[in-house]
Amino acid sequence: MSKKDGLIERIRQIDGKLKFFRNTILAISSGLVWSVYAMIENKADEKIIILASIGLVVLVLIFIRTKSLEVKQNWLIEELEKEQ
């Protein structure tokens, strides 16, 4: 396998991870919206508030991971362009 093929494979792997993380961000965000709605309507007990807080922390961590993967993917694309 040449270096070019390795770079292309790595870019595809990162693209798959990014799709997964973006779908996870969407799912957690929708859960947070429902949690906020329950809090506004005074239907939330402390378990929902704790769960929403944990979800928010996880959302921020996934967002940071997504951004680092995007930076890595851009770097790999630049390396691939140098190879051509």
Side-chain angles (χ1 to χ4, degrees), residues 16-33:
K17 288 180 184 179
L18 284 172
K19 287 179 184 178
F20 171 76
F21 283 134
R22 288 180 182 133
N23 287 335
T24 305
I25 287 171
L26 181 64
I28 293 174
S29 297
S30 63
L32 286 174
V33 167

Side-chain angles (χ1 to χ4, degrees), residues 21-76:
F21 283 134
R22 288 180 182 133
N23 287 335
T24 305
I25 287 171
L26 181 64
I28 293 174
S29 297
S30 63
L32 286 174
V33 167
W34 282 106
S35 298
V36 169
Y37 171 75
M39 286 182 227
I40 291 172
E41 293 295 320
N42 292 328
K43 296 179 181 178
D45 58 354
E46 26 179 87
K47 291 178 186 175
I48 291 180
I49 295 171
I50 292 170
L51 186 61
S53 301
I54 292 170
L56 185 60
V57 170
V58 170
L59 185 68
V60 169
L61 293 174
I62 291 175
F63 185 74
I64 291 170
R65 178 68 176 149
T66 301
K67 288 300 174 187
S68 70
L69 282 174
E70 287 174 353
V71 168
K72 188 172 186 177
Q73 186 180 37
N74 289 336
W75 180 79
L76 288 172

Side-chain angles (χ1 to χ4, degrees), residues 2-20:
S2 68
K3 184 175 180 182
K4 181 180 173 182
D5 293 336
L7 288 172
I8 291 171
E9 181 62 30
R10 188 68 184 131
I11 290 169
R12 286 183 183 154
Q13 289 174 354
I14 291 174
D15 192 46
K17 288 180 184 179
L18 284 172
K19 287 179 184 178
F20 171 76

